[in-house]
Amino acid sequence: MSNLANYAVSEHNSKGRLTFESAPQFRSQTQRDRDRVIHSGAFRRLEYKTQVFVNHEGDMFRTRLTHSIEVAQIGRSIARVMKLNEDLVEAICLAHDLGHTPFGHAGQDALNRCMKKYGGFEHNLQSLRVVDQLEERYADFSGLNLTFEAREGILKHCSKVEARKLGELGQRFIQQTQPSLEAQVADLADAIAYNNHDLDDGLRAGLIEMESLREQTLFAMHFDDVSQAWSSLPVRRMIYETIRRMINYQVVDLVETSQANVKKLGPQSIADIRQSERLIKLSGVGYSQHKALKKFLKETLYCHYRVHRMSLKASKIILSLFEVFMDDVRVLPKDVQYRITSETSQENESHQARMIADYIAGMTDRFAISEYEKLFNPLTLT
Ligand code: MG
C-alpha cells in the first residue's frame, strides 16, 4: 500500500468506523472491510440471486455473485494502475449489490411498490442497510462496521430526503460533492461489467440477434477485427474474444481519460478529490458507445418477452409474499416476528413493513419461490 497516490484513501486519511476497533494485526483496515464482506451471509446469498436471468434458467448465466466478482476484477485493475486503494475498491465492488432483492430489477420494483406507503425500497440504500445493520455476526455491533469510505462507496446514489437521515455519509448528496476516487472507480466498473456480461448472456440465451448487435459500434469494431483475423473460429469463440476486447478497450479508455483528468487537477489530498468534479470517467466517445450499448440492451434484452414473463412472475411472488406477511405475521419465522414485535414504535405498521421488506430482500430466488409454494399451494403442507 506504500505505492498509493496521496489522494487515494489510506489509513491516514480514513474517517474510520462508526464503532471504534483497534487496528488489525496483519491486514489494513480496508482489507478487513473486504474480508468482512466476503464472510457475510448476504454475500453468500448473491450466488442464488438473479442478475438478468432467474437463477434456475441455466448454470452458465451470471448471478449477482459472479457479477460482483467481475466488477471487483475490473475495479482492481483500474485501481492498481491509478495507484488507488485496491482493497477498498474490491470491498465496495463486492458489497455494492448486497441489498438486491431476489429476481433482479423486477423484484426491486415490486418491493418498492409494496413499500410505497412506508418510505419505498431502493436496493442501493438496502446494501448500506445490510452492512450497517442487518448482518448480525459480531458481538460488539450490528452490521459489519465498515469504514466510512467503504460505506460511502456502497451508497452510490441517494435522494436528499434519505441523505438527511444519514449524517455525515449523506452530506455529499446535499452538498453535491464527490466520493473518493475508489468509489468512483467501483461505480464505473459496475457499469462496464454488466453491459458486457449481459451482452454475453443475452447472446447465449438467444435473446439478442447478431444482425442488430452488429449495428452497435462498440461491438462491431471489435467483432470485425476478430472475424477478419480468425475467420474460421466458431462464432461463440469469436464472441468471447470480442467481449474480452470490449472490456479491455473500455478499461483502457477509462484509465487514460481519468489519469488525464487527475493530472489536470493536480490533487494533493482526498479533500481536493471530494471538492472537484467527477474525475473517473470514460472519454466522450467511450461514454457515448457505452450508453448506446446500454440502450440497445434495454430495448432488446431487458424488454424481451421471455425476460418479461419471468419478471411478471417474479413480481407476483414478491407482491404475494409481502401481502401475506403484512396480513398475518404469524406465518413469518420466529426471528422476523421477534424483530417486528420488539419495536415499541408509534408507527408499528411502517416498522412491520420495513422488517418484512428486509426479510424478502434477503431471500434468494429459489427461497422466494419455495416460500411462495409453501404459502399458496394448498397441497404443500409444510
Ligand atoms: Mg451491480
Side-chain angles (χ1 to χ4, degrees):
M1 283 291 167
S2 53
N3 200 25
L4 285 183
N6 56 4
Y7 42 81
V9 171
S10 71
E11 314 263 315
H12 310 294
N13 58 28
S14 169
K15 296 184 188 181
R17 302 175 191 277
L18 287 175
T19 301
F20 174 79
E21 292 182 71
S22 47
Q25 204 173 346
F26 302 117
R27 295 173 294 171
S28 68
Q29 296 282 6
T30 43
Q31 272 179 286
R32 176 182 261 172
D33 281 350
R34 188 266 322 272
D35 298 348
R36 282 188 179 172
V37 171
I38 289 176
H39 286 280
S40 69
F43 184 69
R44 281 195 296 283
R45 291 196 300 273
L46 293 178
E47 183 175 3
Y48 299 105
K49 289 193 178 200
T50 294
Q51 181 64 26
V52 173
F53 296 90
V54 175
N55 182 246
H56 62 251
E57 287 181 278
D59 293 344
M60 285 293 281
F61 297 122
R62 267 71 173 189
T63 65
R64 287 266 163 221
L65 181 66
T66 59
H67 160 69
S68 301
I69 293 170
E70 289 182 33
V71 175
Q73 179 277 315
I74 292 172
R76 279 197 88 116
S77 298
I78 299 166
R80 185 174 299 188
V81 66
M82 293 193 67
K83 297 187 168 44
L84 300 175
N85 188 325
E86 267 183 76
D87 294 323
L88 176 60
V89 170
E90 190 179 13
I92 298 168
C93 293
L94 293 178
H96 83 285
D97 272 352
L98 289 181
H100 256 290
T101 60
F103 312 123
H105 284 282
Q108 121 113 14
D109 292 347
L111 197 52
N112 189 30
R113 259 180 281 144
C114 297
M115 290 296 289
K116 203 165 179 199
K117 273 203 293 183
Y118 313 109
F121 178 91
E122 204 276 315
H123 69 85
N124 195 221
L125 267 176
Q126 189 71 8
S127 295
L128 185 69
R129 199 168 151 76
V130 168
V131 299
D132 277 0
Q133 295 175 49
L134 299 182
E135 282 289 321
E136 292 177 330
R137 322 182 62 79
Y138 298 89
D140 268 354
F141 42 79
S142 292
L144 306 179
N145 197 33
L146 301 183
T147 58
F148 176 91
E149 292 73 19
R151 297 168 62 234
E152 167 191 61
I154 291 168
L155 191 65
K156 277 196 249 184
H157 35 78
C158 183
S159 68
K160 285 195 177 159
V161 178
E162 292 297 334
R164 284 190 201 99
K165 301 177 197 163
L166 292 170
E168 193 182 1
L169 198 69
Q171 281 304 305
R172 77 176 164 94
F173 300 100
I174 297 161
Q175 295 169 355
Q176 311 269 308
T177 54
Q178 299 301 329
S180 70
L181 289 184
E182 285 80 356
Q184 297 181 36
V185 166
D187 193 4
L188 276 175
D190 184 23
I192 292 174
Y194 70 65
N195 243 6
N196 286 289
H197 67 48
D198 286 356
L199 180 63
D200 183 25
D201 281 353
L203 282 165
R204 182 180 295 105
L207 304 188
I208 294 175
E209 307 283 340
M210 272 298 269
E211 274 165 49
S212 54
L213 181 56
R214 290 187 73 174
E215 288 165 20
Q216 289 299 311
T217 321
L218 186 57
F219 181 84
M221 60 197 255
H222 296 293
F223 187 78
D224 291 349
D225 284 351
V226 172
S227 51
Q228 272 163 28
W230 290 284
S231 56
S232 59
L233 272 188
V235 175
R236 187 68 239 168
R237 198 158 159 186
M238 281 190 199
I239 290 168
Y240 284 141
E241 176 65 27
T242 303
I243 292 177
R244 172 186 95 76
R245 289 175 180 220
M246 285 166 67
I247 296 173
N248 188 62
Y249 168 86
Q250 288 182 290
V251 169
V252 168
D253 178 86
L254 182 146
V255 168
E256 286 175 353
T257 309
S258 308
Q259 277 178 330
N261 290 343
V262 170
K263 197 172 170 202
K264 196 166 155 210
L265 179 75
Q268 294 304 309
S269 69
I270 190 164
D272 294 344
I273 300 291
R274 293 185 192 282
Q275 292 307 323
S276 130
E277 58 169 35
R278 277 224 159 196
L279 298 176
I280 304 293
K281 283 181 176 173
L282 288 162
S283 65
V285 173
Y287 184 62
S288 60
Q289 289 169 345
H290 170 82
K291 256 196 356 197
L293 182 59
K294 190 172 168 171
K295 184 163 172 272
F296 171 81
L297 286 170
K298 195 171 173 203
E299 287 164 1
T300 53
L301 180 61
Y302 310 141
C303 292
H304 194 283
Y305 83 96
R306 274 170 53 199
V307 173
H308 196 66
R309 279 183 184 193
M310 283 314 301
S311 302
L312 195 73
K313 285 195 256 181
S315 305
K316 276 207 171 125
I317 293 175
I318 300 283
L319 295 170
S320 309
L321 289 177
F322 186 83
E323 203 172 295
V324 75
F325 294 149
M326 282 302 278
D327 267 2
D328 190 347
V329 293
R330 291 170 305 175
V331 297
L332 283 160
K334 280 263 175 288
D335 60 319
V336 185
Q337 282 191 44
Y338 176 75
R339 267 181 254 140
I340 291 171
T341 51
S342 64
E343 178 85 14
T344 51
S345 150
Q346 296 294 319
E347 301 158 274
N348 268 337
E349 194 180 309
S350 261
H351 172 72
Q352 179 182 336
R354 184 60 60 193
M355 297 300 105
I356 290 170
D358 285 343
Y359 178 53
I360 293 176
M363 292 178 182
T364 59
D365 296 354
R366 60 186 188 174
F367 185 79
I369 293 168
S370 118
E371 280 287 86
Y372 181 87
E373 178 80 6
K374 284 178 190 165
L375 286 158
F376 296 102
N377 181 352
L379 298 176
T380 311
L381 292 174
T382 52

